[in-house]
Amino acid sequence: MKTISLRKATINDKALVVDFDYNLDKVEHVELRREEKITKAISDEECFIILADNRAVGFVIFDYRFFDQGWIELIVIEEKYRGKGIGVQAMDLICHQCKTNKVFTSTNSSNTQMQKALTKVGFSFAGKINGLDDGDPELFYYKKTDNKKTKH
Ligand SMILES: CC(C)(COP(=O)(O)OP(=O)(O)OC[C@H]1O[C@@H](n2cnc3c(N)ncnc32)[C@H](O)[C@@H]1OP(=O)(O)O)[C@@H](O)C(=O)NCCC(=O)NCCS
């Protein structure tokens, strides 16, 4: 089993993260100005490289913008490394490093991979929001971290 770890991304990782995101969805990457968002997340120290045996296989953007709770904004594993347990372990690491006692995230109804991965990490369904993506409601999930520290 590979050793999974997280490393805070630096500006030197920008091209790598942009590449992961571009390969995920080229249209969204451009239309949603994801390069700008990635650059900001890196400079705000909210972007983490996911390493499998020290090889970069994806990234996760994690912040506290959702009602001051831990919030997984986006997690992406490079396609050839998906389905090997890496996403589950990376989200588990995020939950451990979270400074609040709950982590929230959301995904589309159509994204069954993410829903399965979240269930495996121990996330519970929190609710559904219609109207964001037409015909594909956003499902919210949360997990208690047992971490009693405050954010600051
Ligand atoms: C969603 C994602 C982060 C999950 O990470 P992952 O490393 O692939 O997930 P894991 O290998 O830890 O798998 C967890 C479960 O998801 C399901 N799953 C993951 N990849 C799968 C695949 N390619 N095909 C079918 N099921 C899959 C499996 O049920 C798996 O459980 P199992 O081990 O019992 O089979 C990853 O698939 C990904 O990057 N997807 C594209 C980007 C995305 O949708 N991000 C989430 C939106 S915020």
Side-chain angles (χ1 to χ4, degrees), residues 24 75-77 82-88 111 113 116-117 120:
L24 176 68
I75 176 166
V76 176
I77 308 289
R82 286 181 205 155
K84 300 177 191 299
I86 297 172
V88 164
N111 195 341
Q113 274 183 20
K116 281 183 190 164
K120 280 194 113 176

Side-chain angles (χ1 to χ4, degrees), residues 51-109:
L51 302 163
D53 290 342
N54 291 321
R55 182 190 181 87
V57 296
F59 70 97
V60 52
I61 295 180
F62 175 76
D63 59 47
Y64 294 92
R65 287 198 183 88
F66 188 76
F67 295 93
D68 283 336
Q69 301 291 334
W71 171 252
I72 299 172
E73 169 75 18
L74 177 64
I75 176 166
V76 176
I77 308 289
E78 193 182 342
E79 197 166 2
K80 65 180 175 218
Y81 294 104
R82 286 181 205 155
K84 300 177 191 299
I86 297 172
V88 164
Q89 289 188 66
M91 287 192 276
D92 203 42
L93 289 170
I94 282 288
C95 290
H96 278 97
Q97 75 172 48
C98 177
K99 294 175 184 153
T100 57
N101 61 7
K102 282 182 216 147
V103 177
F104 283 78
T105 192
S106 73
T107 190
N108 284 105
S109 287

